[in-house]
């Protein structure tokens, strides 16, 4: 049995749910944002300044308000998926659009969005700059709630390596460790291998490695060692070119039931270069490269890593201290010097050596208590992700002023703006982040070293528009009996 709510009843409650959600999340916004305490039914309360974490914990008794909040949560989740930071900005923009445009026709709204947003995005890009290496500390500090200590640590981490990993520490103080590691541009075969939901990552300590040359159809040749790994509550990484559908479903089932800690990733590269990279991974992990499935294997054929981190875009392998690759690297270096090799072949070998000799900066986050440590780790995670985004697409002025200045330029490009109420409402909404942060609009944020990643701002705007369109075009809500009784 369903209960149907129409425009007059449904829309005010949807908008109310969005507004309440935004008010809680917006309190964390900007370098002077405040923390939020989240109660935990089964443990200690959690203190955070992470917008998406706050959003995830908000639920309303009223079913329609809750639907509004859930739809806005999609902004936060999309923002995490695409940029890793800027969730609060995305939610603030979404709410501003919804509240300022709720009295207009949805067709007018969509037409105005399609006219204005591309122009704003273009201005953001035109006003952006490349992030200079020396300025990493400023961007990281802002993302970490204006914590200059965190900014300095992240700057030091990038001074030594281009790959940064954040871990918890048992000490009171933060520390930085430089270790051997490689990054592969491959991800997991299935989202069911994720064991760190907030970041959509799979993280393992001391995992075994099974390295397959070709497609993996079944595990008959590896039943004994995999059973040992499962019984000892250890973890396993499988690297393979492909995997049969039936085997993938079986492995997903084992992971979801908790009987096996496992992640399967695709082997990198193509053709002969794939075989070369598999040879590199074999030496890096100490794993045999297996292409014969007619015999039984033991754990001696498996390799080892110190740690593993698999994200939606890449995999970071940290070398186990017992594995020595110096001789292998020396052989590759000598091979690259052969005169008969083409320039392209030499460059490929040099890339392989660079990958094998790569370094990873490990930031170990401490704290007097576990609550403090976890809150600080959240801020480190956000700052590292923000830095990666800035290195990828560049930076814009912070404090919400990038959107403010972009919209000032766009306003001049629209004819008869005073008579176009929908367009004017959209442009006013774009100022909401700068209104909350309350920075003087004439401030040169680049000179003040108050900067944001372009990618974070761009994705926040795009995601906010997407969700605002959805809610503003909704006129009817249907609740099932379980929701309204």
């Amino acid at each position: 049995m369903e209960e149907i709510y129409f425009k007059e009843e449904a829309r005010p409650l949807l908008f109310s749910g969005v507004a309440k959600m935004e008010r809680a999340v917006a309190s964390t916004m900007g370098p002077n944002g405040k923390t939020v305490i989240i109660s935990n039914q089964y443990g200690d309360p959690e203190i955070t300044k992470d917008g998406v974490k706050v959003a995830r914990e908000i639920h309303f008794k009223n079913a329609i308000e809750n639907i509004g909040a859930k739809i806005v949560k999609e902004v936060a989740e999309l923002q995490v998926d695409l940029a890793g930071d800027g969730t609060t900005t995305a939610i603030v923009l979404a709410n501003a659009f919804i509240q300022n445009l709720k009295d207009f026709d949805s067709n007018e709204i969509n037409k105005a969005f399609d006219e204005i947003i591309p122009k704003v995005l273009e201005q953001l890009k035109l006003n952006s700059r490349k992030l200079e290496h020396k300025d990493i500390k400023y961007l990281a500090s802002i993302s970490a709630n204006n914590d200059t200590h965190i900014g300095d640590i992240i700057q030091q981490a990038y001074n030594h390596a281009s790959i940064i990993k954040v871990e918890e520490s048992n000490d009171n103080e933060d520390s930085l460790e430089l270790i051997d590691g490689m990054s592969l541009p491959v991800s997991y075969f299935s989202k069911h291998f994720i064991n760190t939901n907030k970041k959509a990552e799979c993280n393992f300590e001391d995992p075994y490695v099974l390295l397959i040359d070709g497609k993996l159809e079944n595990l008959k040749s590896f039943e004994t060692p995999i059973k040992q790994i499962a019984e000892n509550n250890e973890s396993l990484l499988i690297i393979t070119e492909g995997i049969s559908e039936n085997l993938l479903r079986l492995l997903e089932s084992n992971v979801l039931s908790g009987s096996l800690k496992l992640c399967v990733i695709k082997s990198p590269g193509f053709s002969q270069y794939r075989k070369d990279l598999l040879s590199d991974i074999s030496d890096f992990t100490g794993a045999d490269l297996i292409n014969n499935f007619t015999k039984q294997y033991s754990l001696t054929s498996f390799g080892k890593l110190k740690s593993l981190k698999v994200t939606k875009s890449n995999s970071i392998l940290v070398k186990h201290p017992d594995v020595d690759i110096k001789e292998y690297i020396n052989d590759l270096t000598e091979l690259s010097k052969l005169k008969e090799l083409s320039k392209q072949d030499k460059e490929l070998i040099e890339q392989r050596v660079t990958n094998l000799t790569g370094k990873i900066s490990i930031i170990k986050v401490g704290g007097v208590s576990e609550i403090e440590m976890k809150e600080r780790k959240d801020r480190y995670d956000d700052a590292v992700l923000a830095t990666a985004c800035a290195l990828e697409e560049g930076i814009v002025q912070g404090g919400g002023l990038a959107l403010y200045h972009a919209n000032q330029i766009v306003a001049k490009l629209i004819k008869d703006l005073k008579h176009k109420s929908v367009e004017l409402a959209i442009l006013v909404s774009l100022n909401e982040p700068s209104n909350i942060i309350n920075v003087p609009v004439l401030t040169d944020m680049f000179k003040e070293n108050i900067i944001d990643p372009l990618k974070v701002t761009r994705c926040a705007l795009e995601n906010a528009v997407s969700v605002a369109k959805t809610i503003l075009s909704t006129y009817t809500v249907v609740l099932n009996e379980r929701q309204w009784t």
Side-chain angles (χ1 to χ4, degrees), residues 41-215:
Q41 185 178 355
Y42 303 104
D44 295 329
E46 185 173 1
I47 301 173
T48 185
K49 191 180 171 285
D50 185 354
V52 70
K53 182 171 286 188
V54 175
R56 284 173 180 157
E57 297 298 325
I58 292 177
H59 308 277
F60 299 119
K61 289 182 179 180
N62 183 281
I64 299 179
E65 283 189 327
N66 206 43
I67 289 173
K70 280 185 177 180
I71 294 173
V72 173
K73 286 180 190 180
E74 291 181 20
V75 174
E77 299 296 348
L78 281 169
Q79 188 68 17
V80 168
D81 289 346
L82 294 172
D85 194 15
T87 53
T88 304
T89 300
I91 291 174
V92 165
L93 284 171
N95 180 65
F97 288 139
I98 290 166
Q99 305 303 331
N100 291 331
L101 296 167
K102 61 188 178 184
D103 295 325
F104 295 99
D105 177 74
S106 60
N107 291 325
E108 288 184 62
I109 293 169
N110 290 340
K111 185 179 177 181
F113 270 137
D114 293 342
E115 178 188 3
I116 292 175
I117 299 305
K119 291 183 173 68
V120 174
L121 292 172
E122 183 182 2
Q123 289 302 320
L124 286 173
K125 188 173 182 180
L126 288 172
N127 295 335
S128 67
R129 298 182 183 180
K130 179 183 177 182
L131 176 65
E132 300 295 334
H133 187 84
K134 63 182 177 60
D135 293 332
I136 286 175
K137 60 185 177 183
Y138 301 119
L139 184 134
S141 297
I142 291 167
S143 182
N145 198 15
N146 221 23
D147 191 322
T148 56
H149 171 73
I150 290 179
D152 288 339
I153 292 289
I154 292 175
Q155 178 75 67
Q156 292 175 39
Y158 271 101
N159 288 344
H160 296 292
S162 59
I163 302 172
I164 313 298
K165 200 163 177 276
V166 182
E167 296 180 352
E168 297 179 0
S169 171
N170 294 324
D171 298 328
N172 292 344
E173 301 294 328
D174 302 338
S175 61
L176 187 62
E177 180 182 352
L178 194 64
I179 58 173
D180 297 322
M182 71 159 59
S183 177
L184 305 176
V186 292
S187 185
Y188 33 69
F189 272 96
S190 169
K191 65 180 182 180
H192 294 300
F193 298 138
I194 294 171
N195 62 7
T196 309
N197 289 322
K198 178 193 169 187
K199 303 295 181 183
E201 296 172 354
C202 178
N203 291 279
F204 288 142
E205 296 295 324
D206 295 311
Y208 283 94
V209 180
L210 174 58
L211 188 59
I212 303 297
D213 182 9
K215 183 176 180 180

Side-chain angles (χ1 to χ4, degrees), residues 157-426:
Y158 271 101
N159 288 344
H160 296 292
S162 59
I163 302 172
I164 313 298
K165 200 163 177 276
V166 182
E167 296 180 352
E168 297 179 0
S169 171
N170 294 324
D171 298 328
N172 292 344
E173 301 294 328
D174 302 338
S175 61
L176 187 62
E177 180 182 352
L178 194 64
I179 58 173
D180 297 322
M182 71 159 59
S183 177
L184 305 176
V186 292
S187 185
Y188 33 69
F189 272 96
S190 169
K191 65 180 182 180
H192 294 300
F193 298 138
I194 294 171
N195 62 7
T196 309
N197 289 322
K198 178 193 169 187
K199 303 295 181 183
E201 296 172 354
C202 178
N203 291 279
F204 288 142
E205 296 295 324
D206 295 311
Y208 283 94
V209 180
L210 174 58
L211 188 59
I212 303 297
D213 182 9
K215 183 176 180 180
L216 190 60
E217 298 287 350
N218 58 69
L219 293 175
K220 291 179 181 178
S221 298
F222 314 103
E223 286 179 349
T224 300
I226 290 178
K227 184 178 179 181
Q228 288 177 262
I229 292 171
E231 288 176 347
N232 293 330
N233 198 31
E234 295 181 292
S235 54
L236 171 64
L237 168 68
I238 299 177
I239 304 175
T240 178
E241 183 178 343
I243 185 170
S244 70
E245 189 71 18
N246 288 339
L247 179 56
L248 183 59
R249 299 287 88 83
L250 175 64
L251 293 176
E252 287 174 341
S253 176
N254 278 273
V255 170
L256 292 172
S257 67
S259 57
L260 182 62
K261 296 177 181 178
L262 170 81
C263 188
V264 185
I265 66 173
K266 187 176 179 63
S267 50
F270 300 93
S271 188
Q272 181 57 45
Y273 189 55
R274 183 198 297 276
K275 293 187 179 295
D276 292 338
L277 291 177
L278 286 174
S279 176
D280 296 346
I281 296 169
S282 174
D283 265 81
F284 189 84
T285 62
D288 294 341
L289 184 55
I290 296 171
N291 53 21
N292 179 4
F293 304 105
T294 62
K295 54 181 281 189
Q296 293 294 311
Y297 292 91
S298 68
L299 271 178
T300 57
S301 295
F302 286 48
K304 261 287 193 179
L305 290 170
K306 183 178 180 183
S307 67
L308 167 74
K309 174 182 174 181
V310 183
T311 72
K312 290 189 299 183
S313 57
N314 64 10
S315 300
I316 298 174
L317 283 58
V318 177
K319 190 175 74 65
H320 196 278
D322 293 341
V323 178
D324 188 355
I325 59 172
K326 290 179 182 177
E327 185 177 344
Y328 184 78
I329 291 171
N330 288 336
D331 291 342
L332 276 179
T333 304
E334 292 301 316
L335 180 63
S336 68
K337 297 177 181 178
L338 293 178
K339 293 182 179 180
E340 54 266 34
L341 288 178
S342 67
K343 182 180 178 181
Q344 183 181 9
D345 287 337
K346 288 183 178 182
E347 288 176 350
L348 288 175
I349 293 173
E350 288 170 359
Q351 286 178 15
R352 291 167 60 195
V353 171
T354 300
N355 204 27
L356 285 165
T357 57
K359 298 291 182 182
I360 297 175
S361 288
I362 306 288
I363 299 173
K364 297 191 174 182
V365 184
V368 177
S369 66
E370 184 177 2
I371 292 177
E372 180 191 356
M373 181 269 293
K374 288 185 178 297
E375 187 274 330
R376 286 172 52 74
K377 184 176 182 297
D378 276 345
R379 289 194 281 139
Y380 265 108
D381 283 333
D382 284 348
V384 168
L385 286 166
T387 304
C389 287
L391 290 169
E392 181 183 350
E393 291 191 16
I395 54 174
V396 292
Q397 293 195 67
L401 291 193
L403 287 170
Y404 174 85
H405 290 307
N407 114 43
Q408 295 299 304
I409 296 172
V410 171
K412 296 176 182 177
L413 302 176
I414 300 175
K415 295 180 180 179
D416 299 322
L417 179 60
K418 292 181 180 179
H419 303 291
K420 295 185 176 182
S421 301
V422 182
E423 287 85 350
L424 188 60
I426 291 174

